[in-house]
Protein backbone atom coordinates (compact mmCIF):
# COMPACT_ATOMS: atom_id res chain seq x y z
CA UNK A 1 0.00 0.00 0.00
CA UNK A 2 0.97 3.65 0.00
CA UNK A 3 0.19 6.82 1.88
CA UNK A 4 0.33 10.49 1.01
CA UNK A 5 3.17 12.28 2.72
CA UNK A 6 5.23 15.40 2.84
CA UNK A 7 3.88 18.71 1.60
CA UNK A 8 0.39 18.44 0.16
CA UNK A 9 -0.28 15.09 -1.42
CA UNK A 10 3.31 14.13 -2.12
CA UNK A 11 6.27 13.06 -0.04
CA UNK A 12 10.00 13.18 -0.58
CA UNK A 13 11.09 14.75 -3.84
CA UNK A 14 7.71 14.65 -5.49
CA UNK A 15 6.80 11.00 -4.81
CA UNK A 16 4.84 9.29 -2.07
CA UNK A 17 5.89 7.43 1.03
CA UNK A 18 5.55 3.69 0.61
CA UNK A 19 4.35 1.63 3.55
CA UNK A 20 6.57 -1.38 4.23
CA UNK A 21 5.04 -4.84 4.32
CA UNK A 22 4.67 -6.61 7.66
CA UNK A 23 7.53 -8.97 6.76
CA UNK A 24 9.81 -6.05 5.90
CA UNK A 25 9.03 -4.38 9.22
CA UNK A 26 9.66 -7.64 11.07
CA UNK A 27 12.97 -8.22 9.27
CA UNK A 28 14.13 -4.68 10.07
CA UNK A 29 13.17 -5.11 13.73
CA UNK A 30 14.93 -8.45 14.07
CA UNK A 31 18.05 -7.16 12.32
CA UNK A 32 18.19 -4.13 14.62
CA UNK A 33 18.04 -6.46 17.65
CA UNK A 34 20.04 -9.36 16.28
CA UNK A 35 22.18 -9.52 19.44
CA UNK A 36 19.08 -10.65 21.34
CA UNK A 37 18.47 -13.68 19.09
CA UNK A 38 19.74 -17.07 20.26
CA UNK A 39 18.32 -19.29 17.55
CA UNK A 40 16.17 -18.99 14.42
CA UNK A 41 15.68 -22.67 13.80
CA UNK A 42 14.77 -23.41 10.20
CA UNK A 43 14.13 -20.33 8.06
CA UNK A 44 12.60 -20.27 4.60
CA UNK A 45 15.05 -19.21 1.87
CA UNK A 46 13.15 -15.96 1.29
CA UNK A 47 13.36 -14.96 4.97
CA UNK A 48 17.03 -15.98 5.16
CA UNK A 49 17.82 -13.84 2.10
CA UNK A 50 15.93 -10.87 3.53
CA UNK A 51 17.59 -11.09 6.95
CA UNK A 52 21.06 -11.50 5.49
CA UNK A 53 20.53 -8.53 3.17
CA UNK A 54 19.26 -6.30 5.98
CA UNK A 55 22.08 -7.32 8.33
CA UNK A 56 24.63 -6.60 5.62
CA UNK A 57 23.00 -3.24 4.94
CA UNK A 58 23.41 -2.38 8.61
CA UNK A 59 26.96 -3.81 8.64
CA UNK A 60 25.96 -6.26 11.35
CA UNK A 61 26.73 -9.46 9.45
CA UNK A 62 29.58 -11.30 11.13
CA UNK A 63 30.54 -14.76 12.32
CA UNK A 64 27.74 -15.03 14.90
CA UNK A 65 25.09 -13.91 12.43
CA UNK A 66 26.31 -16.40 9.82
CA UNK A 67 25.92 -19.22 12.35
CA UNK A 68 22.42 -17.98 13.21
CA UNK A 69 21.30 -18.05 9.58
CA UNK A 70 23.05 -21.32 8.76
CA UNK A 71 23.05 -23.38 11.97
CA UNK A 72 24.60 -26.82 11.97
CA UNK A 73 22.06 -29.60 11.64
CA UNK A 74 19.46 -27.53 9.79
CA UNK A 75 18.99 -28.69 6.16
CA UNK A 76 19.58 -25.64 3.95
CA UNK A 77 18.63 -25.44 0.29
CA UNK A 78 20.03 -21.91 -0.20
CA UNK A 79 22.61 -19.73 1.53
CA UNK A 80 22.93 -16.08 0.55
CA UNK A 81 25.36 -13.67 2.22
CA UNK A 82 25.63 -10.40 0.23
CA UNK A 83 28.56 -8.97 2.21
CA UNK A 84 31.07 -11.28 3.89
CA UNK A 85 33.81 -8.77 4.67
CA UNK A 86 33.35 -9.36 8.43
CA UNK A 87 33.32 -13.16 8.14
CA UNK A 88 36.48 -14.98 9.14
CA UNK A 89 37.90 -17.96 7.29
CA UNK A 90 37.32 -20.42 10.12
CA UNK A 91 33.69 -19.38 10.62
CA UNK A 92 32.88 -19.84 6.93
CA UNK A 93 34.65 -23.20 6.85
CA UNK A 94 32.65 -24.41 9.86
CA UNK A 95 29.43 -23.34 8.17
CA UNK A 96 30.17 -24.86 4.77
CA UNK A 97 31.72 -28.15 5.92
CA UNK A 98 28.38 -29.82 6.86
CA UNK A 99 26.86 -28.55 3.60
CA UNK A 100 29.53 -30.44 1.63
CA UNK A 101 28.63 -33.79 3.16
CA UNK A 102 26.64 -36.52 1.46
CA UNK A 103 22.92 -35.82 1.71
CA UNK A 104 23.29 -32.03 1.73
CA UNK A 105 20.47 -30.25 -0.12
CA UNK A 106 22.26 -26.94 -0.63
CA UNK A 107 21.51 -25.91 -4.21
CA UNK A 108 22.36 -22.20 -4.19
CA UNK A 109 25.39 -20.53 -2.62
CA UNK A 110 25.97 -16.80 -3.01
CA UNK A 111 28.79 -15.04 -1.16
CA UNK A 112 29.46 -11.36 -1.79
CA UNK A 113 32.66 -9.46 -0.95
CA UNK A 114 34.10 -12.76 0.21
CA UNK A 115 37.81 -12.22 -0.44
CA UNK A 116 38.67 -12.26 3.25
CA UNK A 117 37.11 -15.63 4.01
CA UNK A 118 37.21 -17.65 0.77
CA UNK A 119 40.46 -19.58 0.36
CA UNK A 120 41.50 -22.42 -1.95
CA UNK A 121 40.37 -24.85 0.75
CA UNK A 122 36.90 -23.27 0.51
CA UNK A 123 36.74 -24.15 -3.17
CA UNK A 124 37.34 -27.80 -2.28
CA UNK A 125 34.33 -27.73 0.05
CA UNK A 126 32.21 -26.09 -2.65
CA UNK A 127 33.30 -28.70 -5.18
CA UNK A 128 32.03 -31.46 -2.87
CA UNK A 129 28.51 -30.03 -2.39
CA UNK A 130 26.35 -32.77 -3.95
CA UNK A 131 23.28 -30.70 -4.89
CA UNK A 132 24.86 -27.37 -5.81
CA UNK A 133 23.49 -25.90 -9.06
CA UNK A 134 23.97 -22.14 -8.57
CA UNK A 135 27.15 -20.45 -7.33
CA UNK A 136 28.11 -16.79 -7.00
CA UNK A 137 31.45 -15.65 -5.53
CA UNK A 138 32.14 -11.92 -5.79
CA UNK A 139 35.48 -10.55 -4.70
CA UNK A 140 37.00 -14.01 -4.15
CA UNK A 141 40.45 -12.80 -5.14
CA UNK A 142 42.32 -15.74 -3.57
CA UNK A 143 40.93 -18.33 -5.95
CA UNK A 144 43.21 -19.53 -8.75
CA UNK A 145 42.47 -21.16 -12.08
CA UNK A 146 42.96 -24.53 -10.38
CA UNK A 147 40.32 -23.71 -7.74
CA UNK A 148 37.73 -22.76 -10.35
CA UNK A 149 38.63 -25.80 -12.43
CA UNK A 150 38.08 -28.05 -9.40
CA UNK A 151 34.58 -26.64 -8.88
CA UNK A 152 33.70 -26.80 -12.58
CA UNK A 153 34.92 -30.36 -13.04
CA UNK A 154 33.21 -31.59 -9.88
CA UNK A 155 29.81 -29.95 -10.42
CA UNK A 156 30.04 -30.45 -14.16
CA UNK A 157 26.70 -30.62 -16.00
CA UNK A 158 24.76 -30.04 -12.77
CA UNK A 159 25.86 -26.40 -12.60
CA UNK A 160 23.23 -24.05 -14.06
CA UNK A 161 24.38 -20.64 -12.82
CA UNK A 162 27.86 -19.30 -12.07
CA UNK A 163 29.12 -15.80 -11.24
CA UNK A 164 32.76 -14.96 -10.54
CA UNK A 165 33.90 -11.38 -10.10
CA UNK A 166 36.76 -9.29 -8.80
CA UNK A 167 39.52 -11.88 -9.19
CA UNK A 168 42.80 -10.86 -10.83
CA UNK A 169 44.19 -14.42 -10.85
CA UNK A 170 41.72 -16.03 -13.21
CA UNK A 171 42.64 -16.52 -16.85
CA UNK A 172 42.21 -18.72 -19.88
CA UNK A 173 42.53 -22.00 -17.95
CA UNK A 174 39.57 -21.20 -15.67
CA UNK A 175 37.40 -20.09 -18.58
CA UNK A 176 38.34 -23.18 -20.56
CA UNK A 177 37.43 -25.41 -17.62
CA UNK A 178 34.02 -23.75 -17.27
CA UNK A 179 33.31 -24.24 -20.96
CA UNK A 180 34.55 -27.84 -21.03
CA UNK A 181 32.87 -29.12 -17.86
CA UNK A 182 29.66 -27.06 -17.51
CA UNK A 183 27.73 -27.41 -20.79
CA UNK A 184 24.36 -26.82 -19.13
CA UNK A 185 25.11 -23.36 -17.79
CA UNK A 186 22.16 -21.03 -18.30
CA UNK A 187 23.48 -17.97 -16.42
CA UNK A 188 27.13 -16.92 -16.39
CA UNK A 189 28.88 -13.87 -15.02
CA UNK A 190 32.59 -13.18 -15.52
CA UNK A 191 32.82 -9.69 -14.07
CA UNK A 192 35.15 -6.94 -12.89
CA UNK A 193 38.36 -8.58 -14.07
CA UNK A 194 40.18 -5.67 -15.63
CA UNK A 195 43.21 -7.81 -16.47
CA UNK A 196 41.36 -10.47 -18.48
CA UNK A 197 42.40 -10.47 -22.12
CA UNK A 198 39.75 -10.95 -24.82
CA UNK A 199 41.32 -14.18 -26.08
CA UNK A 200 40.80 -15.74 -22.65
CA UNK A 201 37.05 -15.62 -23.31
CA UNK A 202 37.18 -17.58 -26.57
CA UNK A 203 36.18 -20.89 -24.89
CA UNK A 204 32.83 -19.35 -23.88
CA UNK A 205 31.80 -19.71 -27.50
CA UNK A 206 31.34 -23.41 -26.78
CA UNK A 207 28.46 -22.79 -24.35
CA UNK A 208 25.13 -23.11 -26.15
CA UNK A 209 22.48 -22.78 -23.40
CA UNK A 210 23.26 -19.39 -21.87
CA UNK A 211 20.18 -17.24 -21.37
CA UNK A 212 22.07 -14.63 -19.34
CA UNK A 213 25.67 -13.53 -19.85
CA UNK A 214 27.40 -10.78 -17.90
CA UNK A 215 30.84 -9.56 -18.95
CA UNK A 216 30.52 -6.39 -16.90
CA UNK A 217 33.76 -4.66 -16.03
CA UNK A 218 36.00 -6.52 -18.49
CA UNK A 219 37.87 -3.39 -19.51
CA UNK A 220 39.96 -5.09 -22.20
CA UNK A 221 37.04 -6.72 -23.98
CA UNK A 222 36.93 -5.85 -27.67
CA UNK A 223 34.53 -6.57 -30.51
CA UNK A 224 36.11 -9.79 -31.81
CA UNK A 225 36.30 -11.11 -28.26
CA UNK A 226 32.61 -10.39 -27.70
CA UNK A 227 31.57 -12.03 -30.95
CA UNK A 228 33.65 -15.13 -30.19
CA UNK A 229 32.40 -15.42 -26.59
CA UNK A 230 28.73 -15.24 -27.64
CA UNK A 231 28.97 -17.38 -30.78
CA UNK A 232 27.44 -20.50 -29.26
CA UNK A 233 24.78 -18.92 -27.04
CA UNK A 234 23.65 -16.09 -29.36
CA UNK A 235 20.52 -17.93 -30.60
CA UNK A 236 19.14 -18.33 -27.05
CA UNK A 237 20.65 -15.38 -25.17
CA UNK A 238 18.03 -13.21 -23.44
CA UNK A 239 20.17 -10.89 -21.31
CA UNK A 240 23.59 -9.38 -22.08
CA UNK A 241 25.47 -7.17 -19.60
CA UNK A 242 28.41 -5.18 -21.01
CA UNK A 243 28.66 -2.32 -18.54
CA UNK A 244 32.16 -0.93 -18.14
CA UNK A 245 33.53 -2.48 -21.34
CA UNK A 246 34.91 0.83 -22.51
CA UNK A 247 36.95 -0.50 -25.44
CA UNK A 248 33.95 -2.02 -27.20
CA UNK A 249 33.03 -0.36 -30.47
CA UNK A 250 29.33 0.17 -31.04
CA UNK A 251 29.43 -1.47 -34.45
CA UNK A 252 30.65 -4.74 -32.92
CA UNK A 253 27.94 -4.58 -30.25
CA UNK A 254 25.30 -4.09 -32.93
CA UNK A 255 26.68 -7.01 -34.93
CA UNK A 256 26.56 -9.23 -31.84
CA UNK A 257 22.98 -8.19 -31.02
CA UNK A 258 21.83 -8.84 -34.59
CA UNK A 259 22.69 -12.51 -34.01
CA UNK A 260 20.56 -12.67 -30.82
CA UNK A 261 16.88 -13.11 -31.75
CA UNK A 262 15.77 -13.70 -28.15
CA UNK A 263 17.56 -10.76 -26.51
CA UNK A 264 15.33 -8.80 -24.10
CA UNK A 265 17.79 -7.03 -21.77
CA UNK A 266 20.93 -5.12 -22.80
CA UNK A 267 23.26 -3.13 -20.54
CA UNK A 268 25.72 -0.85 -22.32
CA UNK A 269 26.65 1.30 -19.33
CA UNK A 270 29.83 3.19 -20.18
CA UNK A 271 30.21 1.86 -23.73
CA UNK A 272 31.25 5.33 -24.83
CA UNK A 273 32.03 4.37 -28.43
CA UNK A 274 28.34 3.61 -29.14
CA UNK A 275 27.01 6.01 -31.79
CA UNK A 276 23.55 6.95 -33.03
CA UNK A 277 23.92 4.65 -36.03
CA UNK A 278 24.88 1.73 -33.78
CA UNK A 279 21.85 2.22 -31.53
CA UNK A 280 19.56 2.47 -34.57
CA UNK A 281 20.91 -0.90 -35.78
CA UNK A 282 20.29 -2.45 -32.35
CA UNK A 283 16.77 -1.03 -32.18
CA UNK A 284 15.89 -2.19 -35.68
CA UNK A 285 17.00 -5.78 -35.17
CA UNK A 286 15.21 -6.06 -31.81
CA UNK A 287 12.08 -4.24 -32.96
CA UNK A 288 9.19 -4.73 -30.55
CA UNK A 289 11.06 -7.08 -28.20
CA UNK A 290 13.63 -5.12 -26.19
CA UNK A 291 12.31 -4.62 -22.65
CA UNK A 292 15.30 -3.23 -20.73
CA UNK A 293 18.10 -1.02 -22.04
CA UNK A 294 20.85 0.78 -20.11
CA UNK A 295 22.67 3.52 -22.02
CA UNK A 296 24.28 5.27 -19.06
CA UNK A 297 27.32 7.32 -20.08
CA UNK A 298 26.89 6.52 -23.77
CA UNK A 299 27.98 10.08 -24.38
CA UNK A 300 27.82 10.11 -28.19
CA UNK A 301 24.06 9.53 -28.36
CA UNK A 302 21.56 12.21 -29.35
CA UNK A 303 17.80 12.71 -29.34
CA UNK A 304 17.62 11.23 -32.84
CA UNK A 305 18.91 7.85 -31.62
CA UNK A 306 16.38 7.71 -28.77
CA UNK A 307 13.60 8.69 -31.15
CA UNK A 308 14.53 5.74 -33.38
CA UNK A 309 14.76 3.47 -30.34
CA UNK A 310 11.33 4.50 -29.08
CA UNK A 311 9.77 3.95 -32.49
CA UNK A 312 11.29 0.48 -32.82
CA UNK A 313 10.85 -0.72 -29.21
CA UNK A 314 7.28 0.52 -28.95
CA UNK A 315 5.21 -1.15 -26.26
CA UNK A 316 7.92 -3.64 -25.23
CA UNK A 317 10.25 -1.18 -23.46
CA UNK A 318 9.78 -1.14 -19.67
CA UNK A 319 13.17 0.00 -18.33
CA UNK A 320 15.39 2.67 -19.88
CA UNK A 321 18.44 4.46 -18.48
CA UNK A 322 19.73 7.58 -20.22
CA UNK A 323 21.75 8.61 -17.18
CA UNK A 324 24.56 10.99 -18.07
CA UNK A 325 23.82 11.13 -21.80
CA UNK A 326 24.38 14.89 -22.11
CA UNK A 327 22.70 15.55 -25.48
CA UNK A 328 19.32 14.09 -24.48
CA UNK A 329 16.52 16.65 -24.38
CA UNK A 330 12.76 17.03 -24.72
CA UNK A 331 12.60 15.55 -28.22
CA UNK A 332 13.63 12.17 -26.80
CA UNK A 333 10.99 12.45 -24.07
CA UNK A 334 8.27 13.27 -26.61
CA UNK A 335 9.21 10.18 -28.62
CA UNK A 336 9.11 7.98 -25.53
CA UNK A 337 5.71 9.36 -24.59
CA UNK A 338 4.40 8.78 -28.12
CA UNK A 339 5.64 5.22 -28.62
CA UNK A 340 6.37 3.67 -25.18
CA UNK A 341 3.65 5.13 -22.95
CA UNK A 342 1.75 1.84 -22.48
CA UNK A 343 4.81 -0.06 -21.22
CA UNK A 344 7.43 2.26 -19.70
CA UNK A 345 7.82 1.61 -15.97
CA UNK A 346 11.26 2.93 -15.00
CA UNK A 347 13.19 5.83 -16.54
CA UNK A 348 16.51 7.37 -15.53
CA UNK A 349 17.40 10.76 -17.01
CA UNK A 350 19.82 11.79 -14.28
CA UNK A 351 22.36 14.43 -15.37
CA UNK A 352 20.44 15.09 -18.59
CA UNK A 353 20.52 18.85 -18.21
CA UNK A 354 18.63 19.57 -21.45
CA UNK A 355 15.31 18.05 -20.34
CA UNK A 356 12.73 20.53 -19.07
CA UNK A 357 9.72 20.74 -16.79
CA UNK A 358 7.40 20.68 -19.79
CA UNK A 359 9.10 17.69 -21.42
CA UNK A 360 9.07 15.62 -18.26
CA UNK A 361 5.51 16.65 -17.44
CA UNK A 362 4.26 15.54 -20.85
CA UNK A 363 6.09 12.22 -20.53
CA UNK A 364 4.93 11.46 -17.01
CA UNK A 365 1.28 12.27 -17.74
CA UNK A 366 1.35 10.04 -20.83
CA UNK A 367 3.10 7.03 -19.25
CA UNK A 368 0.47 5.72 -16.86
CA UNK A 369 2.59 2.73 -15.78
CA UNK A 370 5.68 4.78 -14.95
CA UNK A 371 6.55 3.80 -11.38
CA UNK A 372 9.92 5.51 -10.89
CA UNK A 373 11.73 8.46 -12.44
CA UNK A 374 15.38 9.19 -11.58
CA UNK A 375 16.43 12.82 -11.78
CA UNK A 376 19.77 13.07 -9.98
CA UNK A 377 21.69 16.12 -11.12
CA UNK A 378 18.72 17.66 -12.97
CA UNK A 379 18.78 20.90 -10.99
CA UNK A 380 17.03 22.66 -13.88
CA UNK A 381 13.81 20.81 -12.96
CA UNK A 382 11.66 22.98 -10.73
CA UNK A 383 8.78 22.49 -8.34
CA UNK A 384 6.52 23.39 -11.27
CA UNK A 385 7.04 19.87 -12.63
CA UNK A 386 6.47 18.15 -9.28
CA UNK A 387 3.31 20.12 -8.52
CA UNK A 388 2.02 20.04 -12.08
CA UNK A 389 2.03 16.40 -13.17
CA UNK A 390 -0.86 14.05 -12.46
CA UNK A 391 1.06 10.92 -11.40
CA UNK A 392 0.91 11.28 -7.62
CA UNK A 393 1.84 7.65 -6.97
CA UNK A 394 5.01 7.79 -9.07
CA UNK A 395 8.32 7.75 -7.18
CA UNK A 396 10.75 10.51 -8.12
CA UNK A 397 14.34 9.81 -7.09
CA UNK A 398 16.77 12.73 -7.02
CA UNK A 399 16.91 16.06 -5.27
CA UNK A 400 18.45 19.48 -5.68
CA UNK A 401 15.47 21.13 -7.37
CA UNK A 402 15.66 24.62 -8.79
CA UNK A 403 13.05 27.16 -7.85
CA UNK A 404 10.50 28.08 -10.50
Amino acid sequence: GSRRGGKGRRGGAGGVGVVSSLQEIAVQFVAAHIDCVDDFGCLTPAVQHALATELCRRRLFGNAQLRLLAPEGVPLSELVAPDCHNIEREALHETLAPLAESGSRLGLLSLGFCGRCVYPSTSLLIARMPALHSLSLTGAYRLSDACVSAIASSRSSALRALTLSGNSQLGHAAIRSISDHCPNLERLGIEDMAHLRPDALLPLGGLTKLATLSLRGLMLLDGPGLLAATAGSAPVLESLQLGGCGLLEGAHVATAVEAMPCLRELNLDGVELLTDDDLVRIADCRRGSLSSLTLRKCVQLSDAAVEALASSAGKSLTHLSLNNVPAIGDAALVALAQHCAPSLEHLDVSWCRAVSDDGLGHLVDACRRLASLHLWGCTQITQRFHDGHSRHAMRVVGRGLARA
Side-chain angles (χ1 to χ4, degrees), residues 233-236 254-262 285:
S233 57
V236 297
T255 299
V257 171
E258 285 171 345
M260 300 172 183
C262 299
C285 72

Side-chain angles (χ1 to χ4, degrees), residues 38-307:
D38 292 326
D39 181 27
F40 280 122
C42 187
L43 297 173
T44 65
V47 172
Q48 189 271 326
H49 298 179
L51 274 172
T53 300
E54 182 64 18
L55 287 168
C56 291
R57 188 185 71 82
R58 294 170 179 262
R59 297 187 176 274
L60 296 175
F61 193 76
N63 297 336
Q65 290 71 40
L66 176 64
R67 295 186 180 101
L68 276 175
L69 296 181
E72 187 174 357
V74 174
L76 294 180
S77 61
E78 300 181 6
L79 177 57
V80 174
D83 187 345
C84 298
H85 81 276
N86 281 327
I87 304 296
E88 296 176 352
R89 174 185 182 179
E90 294 76 12
L92 182 64
H93 188 92
E94 291 173 5
T95 298
L96 296 185
L99 301 175
E101 297 175 356
S102 176
S104 169
R105 299 189 305 169
L106 189 74
L108 183 149
L109 177 63
S110 178
L111 304 176
F113 298 101
C114 59
R116 180 187 179 191
C117 56
V118 170
Y119 279 71
S121 58
T122 313
S123 68
L124 299 180
L125 286 177
I126 294 173
R128 286 165 37 200
M129 294 177 178
L132 190 70
H133 57 75
S134 299
L135 175 64
S136 176
L137 301 173
T138 64
Y141 58 84
R142 301 179 194 271
L143 297 187
S144 64
D145 284 347
C147 296
V148 173
S149 297
I151 295 173
S153 60
S154 175
R155 297 310 308 136
S156 188
S157 59
L159 203 59
R160 296 293 192 274
L162 175 64
T163 298
L164 301 170
S165 76
N167 187 321
S168 61
Q169 295 192 58
L170 300 188
H172 182 274
I175 305 300
R176 168 60 68 185
S177 179
I178 293 170
S179 177
D180 288 347
H181 296 291
C182 305
N184 292 328
L185 275 176
E186 298 171 359
R187 299 187 301 279
L188 177 63
I190 306 294
E191 303 173 342
D192 297 324
M193 300 184 193
H195 70 289
L196 202 62
R197 296 177 59 86
D199 56 3
L201 299 174
L202 297 182
L204 296 183
L207 297 173
T208 60
K209 298 182 180 181
L210 290 179
T212 298
L213 176 62
S214 177
L215 303 176
R216 177 175 56 83
L218 302 192
M219 296 177 62
L220 300 180
L221 181 65
D222 58 14
L226 173 64
L227 294 172
T230 58
S233 57
V236 297
L237 203 61
E238 298 176 6
S239 174
L240 180 61
Q241 310 294 315
L242 298 173
C245 299
L247 296 183
L248 273 177
E249 294 184 10
H252 286 123
V253 175
T255 299
V257 171
E258 285 171 345
M260 300 172 183
C262 299
L263 194 69
R264 300 287 182 270
E265 300 178 4
L266 180 61
N267 186 323
L268 299 177
D269 181 357
V271 181
E272 297 183 353
L273 300 180
L274 188 79
T275 67
D276 281 4
D277 290 341
D278 302 326
L279 184 57
V280 169
R281 283 180 60 192
I282 292 171
D284 284 345
C285 72
R286 302 303 310 128
R287 183 176 296 272
S289 59
L290 201 62
S291 62
S292 177
L293 181 61
T294 298
L295 299 171
R296 180 176 177 269
K297 292 188 177 181
C298 293
V299 294
Q300 297 192 44
L301 298 182
S302 69
D303 280 342
V306 177
E307 289 173 324

